[in-house]
Amino acid sequence: AVKAGDVAVLFYADVNGNGTLDETEVNLVGLDLAVTDAAGDAVGTYASNDAGILVEGLAPGVYTFTVADDAGHTLGATEA
């Protein structure tokens, strides 16, 4: 389980476009994630691996998550 103040991010190739990570789909590694706070200050930068990314210890507030994907995948989002 992800603790309060933490955000788990997993990138995967949603081949069938159903918004769900299926058994035959794979995690994407090597994508870069930059997190900034409401003032635009950098909170951290992270690189995805097979386990995804865990951003820990965020105080309550508004954050922007920006993904850099040199492979050119179409990015979508699903909240859980």
Side-chain angles (χ1 to χ4, degrees):
V2 177
K3 299 183 298 186
D6 295 353
V7 176
V9 180
L10 180 65
F11 299 106
Y12 63 94
D14 188 12
V15 177
N16 61 8
N18 69 352
T20 301
L21 176 59
D22 299 312
E23 289 183 22
T24 57
E25 296 170 334
V26 297
N27 296 349
L28 300 176
V29 298
L31 279 73
D32 295 317
L33 176 71
V35 181
T36 54
D37 63 17
D41 296 325
V43 172
T45 55
Y46 308 85
S48 67
N49 59 39
D50 195 47
I53 296 171
L54 182 61
V55 180
E56 298 178 284
L58 295 175
V62 175
Y63 296 90
T64 300
F65 287 62
T66 305
V67 179
D69 174 26
D70 294 335
H73 295 95
T74 299
L75 302 177
T78 301
E79 292 185 30

